[in-house]
Amino acid sequence: MRSLAVASPVPPAAAHRRRLRPSASGREVVSQCLKCEINQDRPMGALRIGHSQGNLPRHGSKNLLTPAAAAISVEQVEVSTYLPKGDMWSVHKFGGTCMGTPQRIQNVADVVLGDSSERKLIIVSAMSKVTDMMYSLVHKAQSRDDSYTEELDKVFEKHMAAAKDLLDGENLARFLSQLHSDISNLRAMLRAIYIAGHATESFSEFVVGHGELWSSQMLSYAVQKSGASCSWMDTREVLVVKPSGPDMVDPDYEESEKRLEKWFSRQPAEIIVATGFIASTAENIPTTLKRDGSDFSAAIIGSLVRARQVTIWTDVDGVFSADPRKVSEAVILSTLSYQEAWEMSYFGANVLHPRTIIPVMKDNIPIVIRNMFNLSAPGTVICKQPANEDADLDACVKSFATIDKLALVNVEGTGMAGVPGTSSAIFSAVKEVGANVIMISQASSEHSICFAVPEKEVAAVSAALHVRFREALAAGRLSKVEVIHDCSILAAVGLRMASTPGVSAILFDALAKANINVRAIAQGCSEYNITVVLKQEDCVRALRAAHSRFFLSKTTLAIGVIGPGLIGATLLNQLRDQVAVLKENMNIDVRVIGITGASTMLLSDTGVDLTRWKEEMQKEAKPADLANFVRHLSEDHVFPNKVLVDCTADTNVASHYYDWLKKGIHVITPNKKANSGPLDRYLKLRTLQRASYTHYFYEATVGAGLPIISTLRGLLETGDKILRIEGIFSGTLSYIFNNFEGTRSFSDVVAEAKEAGYTEPDPRDDLSGTDVARKVIILARESGLRLELSDIPVESLVPEALKSCSSPNEFMQKLPSFDQDWARQRHEAEAAGEVLRYVGVVDVLNGKGRVELQRYKRDHPFAQLSGSDNIIAFTTSRYKEQPLIVRGPGAGAEVTAGGVFCDILRLASYLGAPS
C-alpha cells in the first residue's frame, strides 16, 4: 500500500475551474482526488495528464504538497499534471547554420534565455553540414566504400571538439559518454550495411537523425548551465508520422498529442530543447520528416501546444521579394500571408517548405523568419493576411519566384476539342513515368493543352505520350506532341492580386517593354499567383523587369553613355544634379552603369557615382571596347530597361543602332548620322522601331533642346498635312549672320564664333552646310519624303579656293581675302531692307529640299533672331496663313544635353513613369 499526501486548500470543483500555474521547476500543482479527476470538467486551455507518484521528484523539484493535507491510502494513485496550451508557449527553430559552431550554439542559448515567454520549446537542426555527412556515411557503406569509417571518425571528432569547447564538468562527461555510445552503435550498424550492400529506409533514417540528437543535447546542456529549468526531448518519442507519398509523411496529430502529454508528465520543464527533423512511425520505427523537416517539426509542435508564435531562425534578415542573387534590389518583406508563403515556396522561393505552413495555418499561429546573425532585423511575419495593408497595386504583388530547367510539352490537335477524357489520358501517361507537372495551361477552344515538367523528365514524358496517342497522331486527330526545351517559370505571388484590376496588365506590360516573349500563361481562380513560361535565357531579365515595375520604382533605367565629350559630360553632370529629384518626385530611378569614350570605358553593375565619374574614368577604366560595353549593358546588370545614349557624331556608332534595338536596348542620341544616312538603312531602323517595344529618340538631332521633331510628329499624328518646313537650323550660322552687320568683316565674326566655341574645330564643317543638310533630310524623312542626302542641293559658304586648305588655321588665315565678297552681299541686302540668313527648306508639296543663303525682310521672323538662336516655321493645312514657329537656342552643350535628357524622361514616361 502506498500513501500519498494531497493538498486540499480549495474545494475540488474550484480547483478545476482555476488555471493551475507551474512552479519554478516547471512542475504542476496536482488535482485533489480521483473522484474529482473523473467527474469534473477539465480546465480550459489545459490537458490533464496522469503520472505515478514515483515520477514526481525527478530533477529535484520542490515538494509542493502542504503539510496540513489529509492523507489517503490507495493501492495505486495516478496524479494529474497539466500540459498548458496557448500564448504562454513560444516555439523557436534554429537551423544548421545557427548551430554550426560551439560559439553559435552558445549564442542560440543566449537567445533562448533572453526570450521572456513563460514557456519555450526549442527545435534544432544538426550542426551545419552534418546531415549531409550522415547521408554520405550511409551511401558509402552501402556502396562498400571503406572510407565510411574515416567519415564517421570526422563526425565524432566534430561533435567531441564542439562539446569540449561548449560544455564542462558533469554535463560534458554525460554528453561524451552518450556520444561514444551512439558512435559505437552507428559503427556497428554501418558495418552491417557495408556487408549487406544495402540500407533499408528505416536504417538510413535512423543513422541520419543522429545529428539532431547531438546538437539538441549540447544546446540543452548549454541552457542548463545558466540554472534555467530545461529538459531535452527526443522527438521520436513524441512525433508520430505516416507515409503519404514518395519522400513525404503526414503527422498523426492525435497520437502525437497523446505522446506529448505523456512526455510532459515526466519532464514538465519551462524550457524544452527538442530534436528537429526526426520522428517515429506508429510502430515506433525511427524515421524523418524528410528534407526541411526541422521547420516542419517546429510547426507541428507549435500546433500541438497552440503556441503564441513559431520563430524560424536562419541566416537571412527575412523573406525577400525576389531571389537576391538574381535581383540585387530585392527587399525584405515585413509580412506575408500563409497563402503567399505557400505559393512562393511552391515556386522555388527559399522561404519555407509548403508543409511547414499547414500545421500552424489551421490555428492561426504566426511564423516569424529572423536572422540569428542580425538580431536587430525584425524579420518577416507569416500570418493571416494583415488587415492594415494598403490595397494599392504595389502591395498587390508581394514577391516573384522562378523555376529553371523546365521543358514545355504542347499536345495539339483539332480532334481534342469536345472529346471527353483527353486530358485524363495525357496526364495518366505522365503519371505512369513519374513526372512532376509544374504548371498546366489549356486553350478554351480545347484545341491544345500545354504543361511544364522538369527538363530531366521530359524525354520520358514525350515518349509516353507518343506511345499513348500513336493512333490519334497517325489519324490526324492530334497534330503534334511538341517539346519546347530550355524554359523557365516566373510566378508573381500576392494575396491582394485577387479581384484587383490591372495587376496582370502591369506585369505583362513590364515583360513586353523588356522585350520578353511569353510562351504560356496560367492563373488559378484564386488569383494568388500569375504564372508565365518563358525562355530560360530571358528568365533573369524577366524577373528583374517585373520586380522593378512593382518594387523599385515605376521606371528604372540603366543607361550607357557613349562619348563623354562636351555634350556627354554635360549630360552626366545634369543627371548627377537631378537623379535624386527624379526618384523622389517622379519615381524614376536612373542608373548610369557604363561610360565609354574612344580609348577607355567605365563599367558598373549598380550605377556609377556621378559625383566622381571623371576620377573613376581615370582610375578604374578599362580599354574601350564597344562590343563589351554593349554586352555589359544587355547582360551583366540588374536592371530590366536598358538605354544607350550616343553623344558622339560617329557614323560607326550610329551603324549599330539597329542591332541594339533588336536586342531590346533603347537608343537616344543627338547623333544625326543614322537618320541622315542611307535611306534603306533609315527605313529598316524605323520599321524595327515601330514593330518592337524598344524606343528610338533623337529630338536633339535637329534643334538641340528645341521640340522640333516632337512638334512635327504631333502635327502628323493629329492628321495635319505638312506643306513646307523652313528654318535656320544651325546655331553656329545663326550666330554668324546675326552678328554680321555694320562694319564687321565676315572673317572676324567667324573667328569670334570659333573662339566662343560655337563652331566645330574646323569652321568649314559648319560653313559647308552639310550639318544643315542632314537636319533637312531628317525632317524631310519624318514628313514622309524618301530622299537621300545627295538629293539635297547645298549652297556651301566655303569659298572654292579654300576647300583644299590643309588645316583649320590655314583656312582662318586665308578667309579675310574673301571679306569684300561678303561685304558686297551684305550691302546689297541692306539696301533692299533685308538681311542674310542661311536656311534649310523642306518643300513637301514638291517632294524636294534645299540648303541655301537667302534674304529676308527685316520684319520677317527670321530677321528677329539674336545670338545662336534657331527658328523653324511649319506651314501646314492648319497653319497655312501664319506658320507655326518654334524658336530658341539651337547650339551649345547645355541645351543639347538638355534635349537628350528630355528624351530620357520621355522614354521613362513611355515605360510607365507618371506624367
Side-chain angles (χ1 to χ4, degrees):
M1 297 288 289
R2 284 181 170 171
S3 177
L4 178 63
V6 184
S8 182
V10 293
H16 277 283
R17 285 193 296 269
R18 183 184 64 186
R19 182 167 191 170
L20 303 181
R21 301 291 295 173
S23 69
S25 64
R27 298 269 304 283
E28 304 294 343
V29 178
V30 297
S31 62
Q32 271 56 54
C33 66
L34 292 178
K35 185 176 180 181
C36 176
E37 172 113 36
I38 294 168
N39 295 328
Q40 298 296 330
D41 293 333
R42 292 188 294 182
M44 292 297 292
L47 295 177
R48 183 164 52 227
I49 306 173
H51 61 73
S52 67
Q53 181 259 353
N55 286 333
L56 282 173
R58 189 166 183 170
H59 297 306
S61 301
K62 291 180 183 179
N63 186 355
L64 300 178
L65 305 182
T66 307
I72 61 172
S73 295
V74 292
E75 279 293 328
Q76 179 69 40
V77 178
E78 285 197 346
V79 297
S80 296
T81 296
Y82 292 97
L83 172 64
K85 285 187 175 184
D87 288 352
M88 77 281 294
W89 287 102
S90 65
V91 176
H92 296 265
K93 179 266 174 177
F94 294 91
T97 307
C98 302
M99 302 288 292
T101 65
Q103 182 58 53
R104 290 182 180 181
I105 296 175
Q106 183 59 56
N107 292 343
V108 168
D110 294 339
V111 169
V112 171
L113 293 167
D115 182 356
S116 60
S117 300
E118 188 175 327
R119 291 184 174 276
K120 290 162 275 194
L121 256 164
I122 314 303
I123 312 298
V124 297
S125 300
M127 296 180 72
S128 58
K129 300 184 179 178
V130 167
T131 300
D132 289 336
M133 294 172 73
M134 303 304 283
Y135 274 116
S136 177
L137 281 173
V138 176
H139 175 74
K140 287 184 175 182
Q142 67 182 0
S143 301
R144 295 192 170 126
D145 182 347
D146 291 330
S147 65
Y148 81 86
T149 58
E150 298 173 7
E151 193 81 6
L152 184 59
D153 290 338
K154 291 179 182 177
V155 172
F156 171 70
E157 291 165 3
K158 179 182 181 74
H159 289 85
M160 182 177 65
K164 288 181 177 180
D165 197 357
L166 180 67
L167 308 176
D168 53 29
E170 185 179 349
N171 286 343
L172 175 60
R174 287 178 179 173
F175 177 80
L176 291 180
S177 174
Q178 185 64 52
L179 179 65
H180 277 283
S181 176
D182 290 342
I183 292 292
S184 178
N185 291 336
L186 286 173
R187 197 177 301 277
M189 181 170 284
L190 290 167
R191 177 64 180 168
I193 293 172
Y194 178 88
I195 293 170
H198 173 70
T200 64
E201 182 179 356
S202 59
F203 271 35
S204 176
E205 297 198 330
F206 175 78
V207 172
V208 170
H210 275 74
E212 279 72 17
L213 293 172
W214 298 325
S215 63
S216 59
Q217 287 171 10
M218 283 192 285
L219 177 60
S220 68
Y221 285 131
V223 173
Q224 287 176 18
K225 282 197 305 183
S226 68
S229 170
C230 178
S231 293
W232 172 73
M233 176 193 289
D234 180 352
T235 48
R236 292 177 299 188
E237 300 177 24
V238 173
L239 294 187
V240 179
V241 298
K242 48 192 175 185
S244 59
D247 203 33
M248 188 176 296
V249 294
D250 284 338
D252 184 335
Y253 288 99
E254 184 176 353
E255 180 61 27
S256 297
E257 190 170 63
K258 291 178 181 178
R259 294 193 181 191
L260 179 58
E261 294 172 1
K262 185 177 180 180
W263 186 95
F264 190 81
S265 72
R266 300 192 303 267
Q267 304 184 63
E270 295 173 357
I271 301 174
I272 300 172
V273 177
T275 55
F277 182 57
I278 58 177
S280 293
T281 66
E283 296 77 25
N284 294 320
I285 298 173
T287 187
T288 69
L289 299 177
K290 315 309 176 186
R291 287 291 187 178
D292 300 308
S294 293
D295 289 351
F296 197 18
S297 301
I300 296 169
I301 292 177
S303 175
L304 293 178
V305 299
R306 309 295 190 270
R308 174 174 52 86
Q309 72 177 34
V310 175
T311 304
I312 307 293
W313 293 90
T314 181
D315 55 1
V316 294
D317 285 346
V319 180
F320 284 88
S321 55
D323 187 340
R325 295 168 297 182
K326 297 177 180 177
V327 182
S328 64
E329 303 290 331
V331 298
I332 297 290
L333 302 173
S334 59
T335 59
L336 276 176
S337 70
Y338 295 120
Q339 292 88 346
E340 287 166 341
W342 195 326
E343 295 281 354
M344 290 174 64
S345 300
Y346 178 79
F347 287 102
N350 188 21
V351 185
L352 294 171
H353 194 282
R355 295 179 304 165
T356 304
I357 300 166
I358 298 172
V360 296
M361 187 176 175
K362 60 187 179 67
D363 294 312
N364 289 330
I365 300 171
I367 297 179
V368 183
I369 310 296
R370 292 197 61 188
N371 190 349
M372 182 64 198
F373 308 104
N374 181 15
L375 299 180
S376 62
T380 300
V381 179
I382 301 173
C383 56
K384 288 182 65 176
Q385 180 67 20
N388 60 348
E389 284 193 356
D390 295 330
D392 56 44
L393 286 175
D394 292 339
C396 289
V397 177
K398 277 295 189 71
S399 66
F400 295 89
T402 58
I403 305 176
D404 294 327
K405 298 180 180 178
L406 299 178
L408 197 62
V409 181
N410 182 41
V411 182
E412 186 174 308
T414 55
M416 294 171 58
V419 179
T422 303
S423 297
S424 175
I426 291 172
F427 293 110
S428 293
V430 175
K431 179 182 178 182
E432 287 174 4
V433 298
N436 180 30
V437 177
I438 308 296
M439 187 214 77
I440 303 170
S441 180
Q442 179 176 9
S444 59
S445 65
E446 302 183 61
H447 179 70
S448 68
I449 298 175
C450 69
F451 55 93
V453 296
E455 187 76 60
K456 63 184 179 181
E457 298 173 357
V458 73
V461 169
S462 177
L465 290 174
H466 277 90
V467 171
R468 176 65 63 90
F469 295 103
R470 182 186 296 114
E471 293 182 3
L473 287 166
R477 294 193 302 275
L478 288 185
S479 58
K480 62 182 175 180
V481 175
E482 177 187 17
V483 175
I484 303 168
H485 294 280
D486 300 320
C487 292
S488 291
I489 277 178
L490 168 67
V493 175
L495 194 64
R496 291 190 182 274
M497 288 164 55
S499 304
T500 301
V503 178
S504 297
I506 292 173
L507 173 63
F508 290 111
D509 184 60
L511 296 178
K513 288 176 178 175
N515 206 30
I516 304 294
N517 182 41
V518 175
R519 303 301 301 261
I521 304 166
Q523 180 177 11
C525 62
S526 67
E527 301 184 70
Y528 292 162
N529 83 69
I530 302 171
T531 304
V532 297
V533 180
L534 33 79
K535 292 180 181 178
Q536 186 163 312
E537 64 187 40
D538 293 337
C539 186
V540 173
R541 188 154 52 93
L543 177 61
R544 291 169 180 167
H547 187 273
S548 170
R549 179 62 182 84
F550 283 94
F551 281 91
L552 292 186
S553 70
K554 296 297 181 186
T555 310
T556 302
L557 302 179
I559 297 177
V561 176
I562 304 174
L566 185 59
I567 295 173
T570 304
L571 173 64
L572 288 168
N573 291 336
Q574 290 178 353
L575 289 169
R576 174 199 64 202
D577 297 337
Q578 199 66 14
V579 287
V581 177
L582 291 175
K583 191 168 185 179
E584 178 68 23
N585 296 342
M586 299 181 65
N587 213 9
I588 299 173
D589 190 358
V590 176
R591 312 285 184 96
V592 176
I593 65 165
I595 304 170
T596 184
S599 58
T600 60
M601 65 181 181
L602 176 65
L603 306 178
S604 170
D605 289 331
T606 57
V608 174
D609 182 356
L610 295 181
T611 63
R612 52 189 309 274
W613 67 268
K614 290 183 180 179
E615 294 87 335
E616 291 185 8
M617 281 288 287
Q618 295 175 348
K619 294 179 181 178
E620 302 179 22
K622 302 177 180 180
D625 184 320
L626 188 58
N628 286 339
F629 183 81
V630 174
R631 189 177 301 113
H632 167 75
L633 187 75
S634 61
E635 299 176 1
D636 298 338
H637 64 86
V638 299
F639 308 109
N641 300 312
K642 300 170 289 293
V643 189
L644 276 167
V645 178
D646 174 23
C647 293
T648 72
D650 193 306
T651 301
N652 177 59
V653 175
S655 69
H656 293 288
Y657 291 177
Y658 181 87
D659 294 332
W660 296 343
L661 290 170
K662 200 169 184 180
K663 289 180 178 179
I665 302 174
H666 309 289
V667 177
I668 294 173
T669 185
N671 186 345
K672 295 177 279 292
K673 299 300 174 61
N675 285 10
S676 62
L679 179 62
D680 59 343
R681 186 179 297 176
Y682 166 81
L683 294 174
K684 183 180 177 184
L685 186 63
R686 292 304 305 275
T687 300
L688 173 64
Q689 178 199 359
R690 293 187 180 105
S692 70
Y693 279 92
T694 46
H695 297 281
Y696 173 41
F697 292 132
Y698 43 86
E699 183 71 76
T701 56
V702 175
L706 297 179
I708 296 173
I709 299 290
S710 56
T711 298
L712 175 57
R713 282 191 175 180
L715 293 170
L716 291 170
E717 289 169 1
T718 57
D720 202 353
K721 184 177 181 181
I722 308 299
L723 305 177
R724 178 184 178 91
I725 304 172
E726 183 177 6
I728 298 172
F729 296 105
S730 168
T732 301
L733 295 176
S734 176
Y735 179 88
I736 289 173
F737 285 101
N738 287 338
N739 288 277
F740 181 46
E741 57 185 5
T743 60
R744 302 193 66 187
S745 68
F746 186 77
S747 62
D748 285 344
V749 175
V750 172
E752 182 182 280
K754 186 174 184 299
E755 184 68 23
Y758 287 121
T759 72
E760 296 293 331
D762 188 339
R764 286 175 293 183
D765 293 339
D766 297 292
L767 296 172
S768 67
T770 302
D771 180 68
V772 176
R774 289 190 180 278
K775 295 175 181 179
V776 167
I777 201 68
I778 290 171
L779 293 177
R781 290 173 175 177
E782 288 288 320
S783 302
L785 301 182
R786 298 196 170 191
L787 300 176
E788 294 282 5
L789 186 61
S790 57
D791 295 330
I792 306 297
V794 179
E795 180 182 350
S796 175
L797 303 183
V798 180
E800 191 66 33
L802 300 185
K803 291 181 179 179
S804 60
C805 289
S806 60
S807 68
N809 287 338
E810 181 184 356
F811 169 76
M812 292 302 298
Q813 289 173 0
K814 294 182 177 180
L815 184 60
S817 60
F818 294 87
D819 281 344
Q820 288 186 355
D821 293 337
W822 283 109
R824 177 179 51 77
Q825 291 188 61
R826 182 182 62 195
H827 292 151
E828 291 175 356
E830 289 175 347
E834 298 174 337
V835 296
L836 297 174
R837 295 292 184 263
Y838 194 72
V839 298
V841 179
V842 179
D843 186 350
V844 179
L845 285 178
N846 295 307
K848 296 179 180 180
R850 63 183 184 274
V851 177
E852 60 190 7
L853 185 66
Q854 285 195 9
R855 288 160 43 170
Y856 294 90
K857 293 293 184 181
R858 288 194 174 274
D859 60 354
H860 193 279
F862 287 13
Q864 310 300 315
L865 298 184
S866 62
S868 59
D869 281 2
N870 283 4
I871 187 168
I872 297 88
F874 294 94
T875 303
T876 73
S877 297
R878 296 174 187 161
Y879 297 93
K880 192 170 185 180
E881 301 302 323
Q882 188 168 342
L884 173 64
I885 291 178
V886 178
R887 172 182 171 176
E894 287 290 337
V895 293
T896 303
V900 175
F901 201 160
C902 283
D903 273 346
I904 292 173
L905 297 182
R906 185 176 293 114
L907 172 63
S909 178
Y910 273 58
L911 295 176
S915 58

